[in-house]
Amino acid sequence: MRKYIIAGNWKMNLTLEEGYGLVTEIKGMVQDEVNNSAEIVVIPPFIHLSGVHNLLKGSRVKLGAQNCHQKSKGAYTGEVSPAMLANLGAQYVIIGHSERRQYFGETNALLAEKINAALENGLTPIYCFGETLEQREAGKEFDVNFDQVSEGLFHLSDSDFSKVVLAYEPVWAIGTGKTATSQQAQDVHAFIRKKLTEKYGESIADSISILYGGSMKPDNARELLACKDIDGGLIGGAALESRSFVEIIKSVA
Ligand code: PGA
């Protein structure tokens, strides 16, 4: 059985006070209202991690980070290592979000190194992939997504690959209000799972959670999450407000 995961990526939003307020609300609502077994993760900016970790004590809500460096330590001014994130209580780290690829020039080869570093430090990577609108209109979405997944992850051994979470995030759907239809999302998820089966075999491929991200909201979450190969959501905008985030969590059957 695959795990359903609902993860809220705050991106570069919220002051410390706003972040603490949000996580306190989420913690209370999850305790009072959520009775499914979804894994719930909040992913604030680095500087919020320690305080949010303290606030989450005693809660089922887990902590993640938005990025990490590919080395465990060293002279890399301005960077944060996966060892530091694990030490702060983070259990997950997003690797290869399209905003990192687009604005910070992160390549599949670099992301493969980050995946290794995250795993070496006991973090669960949430590896993002997704095509741009231009690539989709040119009919290249399957090729592009396969290249991102295979170049970032297929060097991993069976046991390391089993620890990874994937997230399909079509770039044209992120922050735009345009969600992929559940059929468009399911088609890509099923295609990627087939590729995982070819590479790692059916039992590993069937155990990997593949999340969908891109304008997931309370009013479309249920339909997306009901698709056979969609195992959760990576939520941006709707994760910045406790009520909408918790309603998405409650959409998991
Ligand atoms: P969005 O962002 O929900 O605001 O579209 C999703 C993401 O980038 O992870």
Side-chain angles (χ1 to χ4, degrees), residues 60-222:
R60 62 183 271 196
V61 179
K62 307 276 169 55
L63 186 65
Q66 298 174 18
N67 177 34
C68 66
H69 194 261
Q70 61 275 25
K71 297 267 168 48
S72 289
K73 63 175 183 178
Y76 301 99
T77 302
E79 291 295 313
V80 176
S81 81
M84 293 168 180
L85 298 175
N87 182 249
L88 285 182
Q91 290 176 264
Y92 289 85
V93 60
I94 298 175
I95 304 279
H97 191 281
S98 64
E99 288 149 17
R100 301 294 316 171
R101 295 175 185 267
Q102 189 179 348
Y103 305 131
F104 301 95
E106 296 195 355
T107 61
N108 293 330
L110 172 70
L111 297 171
E113 288 184 52
K114 292 191 178 204
I115 291 280
N116 294 342
L119 289 168
E120 274 161 26
N121 288 282
L123 297 169
T124 298
I126 301 176
Y127 181 75
C128 300
F129 62 96
E131 81 284 358
T132 62
L133 186 57
E134 205 181 14
Q135 289 164 334
R136 177 167 278 268
E137 284 174 346
K140 293 191 184 140
E141 68 271 28
F142 293 103
D143 289 347
V144 167
N145 286 315
F146 176 66
D147 288 349
Q148 291 180 11
V149 169
S150 59
E151 289 172 23
L153 298 176
F154 278 13
H155 63 286
L156 294 174
S157 66
D158 287 10
S159 74
D160 277 343
F161 186 75
S162 303
K163 298 173 189 151
V164 173
V165 172
L166 274 68
Y168 170 52
E169 297 209 308
V171 177
W172 49 272
I174 295 178
T176 57
K178 274 190 213 157
T179 324
T181 64
S182 51
Q183 192 60 55
Q184 284 172 322
Q186 166 59 25
D187 287 349
V188 173
H189 284 234
F191 165 78
I192 290 297
R193 201 178 307 280
K194 182 165 156 281
K195 293 293 172 189
L196 303 187
T197 307
E198 286 166 17
K199 170 78 182 162
Y200 288 103
E202 199 171 330
S203 89
I204 291 180
D206 275 350
S207 72
I208 297 289
S209 299
I210 309 179
L211 317 185
Y212 168 80
S215 298
M216 193 185 269
K217 304 270 184 288
D219 61 5
N220 60 27
R222 199 168 293 275

Side-chain angles (χ1 to χ4, degrees), residues 25-87:
E25 286 172 18
I26 291 170
K27 179 180 169 177
M29 289 180 183
V30 165
Q31 187 166 340
D32 294 345
E33 303 176 30
V34 177
N35 43 34
N36 62 44
S37 62
E39 174 98 334
I40 304 161
V41 190
V42 291
I43 310 184
F46 289 139
I47 59 161
H48 299 45
L49 285 170
S50 175
V52 169
H53 181 243
N54 284 334
L55 290 171
L56 287 177
K57 284 201 178 117
S59 165
R60 62 183 271 196
V61 179
K62 307 276 169 55
L63 186 65
Q66 298 174 18
N67 177 34
C68 66
H69 194 261
Q70 61 275 25
K71 297 267 168 48
S72 289
K73 63 175 183 178
Y76 301 99
T77 302
E79 291 295 313
V80 176
S81 81
M84 293 168 180
L85 298 175
N87 182 249

